[in-house]
Amino acid sequence: MNLNYPITYIKGISVQRASLMYTELGIKTCNDLLNFFPNRYIDKTTFYAIKDLQPNSSEVQIVGKITRVKSVAQKRGSRLVATFQDATGSMELVWFKGQKWIKDALKINEPYVVYGKLNHYNGNFSIPHPELELVVEYKKKLQTKMQPVYPSTERLVNSGVSNKLMRTYVQHLLQQFFEVITETLSQEIIDNFKLMSKRDALLNAHFPKSQENLAKAQNRLKFEELFFIQLQLLRKKLINKTKIKGFVFENVSDYFNTFYKDHLPFNLTNAQKRVLKEIRKDVASGAHMNRLLQGDVGSGKTIAALLTMLMAIDNGYQATIMAPTEILATQHYHAISEMLKDMDINVDLLTGSVRVKKRREIHANLEDGTLHILIGTHALLEDKVKFKNLGIAIIDEQHRFGVAQRAKLWTKNILPPHILVMTATPIPRTLAMSVYGDLDISVIDELPPGRKEVKTVHRYDSNRLAVFKFMRDEIEKGRQVYVVYPLIQESEAMDYKDLMDGYESISRDFPTPKYQISIVHGKMKPADKEHEMQRFVKGETQIMVATTVIEVGVNVPNASVMIIESSERFGLSQLHQLRGRVGRGGDQSYCILLSSYKLSEEGKTRLKTMVDTTDGFKIAEVDLKLRGPGNLMGTQQSGVLNLKIADVVKDSKILVAARNTAISVLQEDSNLSQPANINIKKAYVELSKNSKIWSEIS
Ligand code: ADP
Ligand code: MG
């Protein structure tokens, strides 16, 4: 008997029920059910005093007396209201149904135990349709303490799988299988953190003896869950380091040094230097580099990427950069070709809109090695694209790519190229630990000197004329302006209408020939987009009206005003990205967030956050709190966040402890072969068999 048995082995669960529980809740094995935790508990261990009730208390239990009962007329029919008092205060009990019968049954001035869901209205507390029991009766019975309430679905309930039945199933499960539940942590860890044993923890997570026991049980299970995820991630990293050989870029020579001495357009910031040292150390080590480079928008990741590529070329390897959009790939191509123009290095661009003839040329030059650097979009992933010897693959704005796409670049070589993924979406530390726990992380935490903080204001649509005046003044000074419209879904006709209406209204207020306007949106052909973009880059147009296609990476230092229309419809990280398009030159830059008066609480928080700070990490923390980890930077794809009991945001302290513990376990016993770690090893092997984590993290 083991926990991998299907739940039909549990007393009372028929084949039909089992299949229903599988389709509705994904529960198949005993282990699944054991790890299917209640989302709340009906707490009958605590008695509240009326004066201690809080508006956010949910179910409460109170001892007191009913002093008065009356019928109160309301719109339709009436309700029965009882005044209920204890020594500390008074509240109401309310019934809408069965009033007559209840009224007759209620005993005045006798002590009752009252239990129910607390309502709070106008400073008064009440419980509708409470459970009532005379204290004398209550004392005769043995009380069940805390009752679990399991997540459920309508279909389950309609098919007769009530919460009560679920409770019975879990009870049977615990009775039948208790002996085969084995400890998964080492004694040392249990002692160190004073953790509950695995059996007690499971028992108390389902049927807690007290609030205190519940807290201990949850703490233990969260620790365990996070510990094993970290163990997997860290082992994967370890294996990558020791088992997967990487190309060795032994020399830093001509290309790198010449560029650094003669062609570097500015001095690197200390953060850029530090990051390059970290990368240099990796690629010279003989191990395979798998590194995440985080740096806020405008922190100068591109130059770090270029210098890294030069390390590869110095050692006879090719290099590639993959970007999420054509605009961005094209921009990288122009910027990098420009910086390398006096050097003997061949750079080319491959995107979906490159013609067949040019494409063939690129394929040929790649295969015979005459092409050193290839920059492109997803088009790089096509099978026809074969490198002679790809030494490093750099993935820009990596949150835009799926995990599968990342992995695909690997298969382009026999040996995997070194991988550097770059992202401007700052990831809070704890989340990075969970999602990218298998990568090394470098951070450019310093902006190039002389940047002035972008001044950000929030204005309502009714102030548009003042905003237009401001635009005119800035254009007068020689600056350029972005006006961005939300495009939530590329197909939404409504959004296009907003965009085109906006374009027309701006055209009216900023007439030709004095003013020239570019427009870029997702429905345009890539070549047209590029043409419009270039007009703006060259300064031929002063205003760029666009959808979020310009969100990532676009670099026009002379643009100093970012106007975001309907800004309440954008997410925080998008707003931050958009604002990052300005403030790239030496001039004071501005970001104006336009919105309607109608704002949700969340919308208000987002706009206020943008006005209050330009720190990407702070913004990411707020975003994480508002939206939860599942919505950040494509983490939906990450099985790592499919947690059963822990929460990477709320349980960040436990996460840090779990990660540190996993690190120290692996430091002493990387193969988990010591007798002291036997429990861990068994659980680890079992988890690896069942978990999708291995396949889901590239
Ligand atoms: P991001 O990190 O957002 O990709 P970029 O690499 O596009 O940022 O750099 C933003 C701008 O800052 C570019 O115009 C770039 O030339 C400039 N830049 C980068 N590093 C420095 C530096 N050390 N000193 C001055 N300007 C820099
Ligand atoms: Mg960039």
Side-chain angles (χ1 to χ4, degrees), residues 608-670:
K608 183 172 180 326
T609 305
M610 288 298 294
V611 171
D612 287 350
T613 184
T614 52
D615 180 333
F617 279 91
K618 280 198 189 125
I619 291 171
E621 294 281 357
V622 176
D623 205 21
L624 189 60
K625 289 215 177 84
L626 288 179
R627 300 200 298 156
N631 291 310
L632 289 189
M633 16 151 245
T635 49
Q636 302 91 320
Q637 311 149 336
S638 168
V640 181
L641 291 175
N642 226 335
L643 299 174
K644 292 212 163 59
I645 189 162
D647 177 322
V648 284
V649 183
K650 295 194 191 115
D651 300 320
S652 56
K653 275 206 186 117
I654 304 178
L655 172 58
V656 173
R659 180 171 173 90
N660 289 338
T661 307
I663 290 172
S664 66
V665 166
L666 288 176
Q667 261 166 4
E668 280 179 26
D669 185 12
S670 64

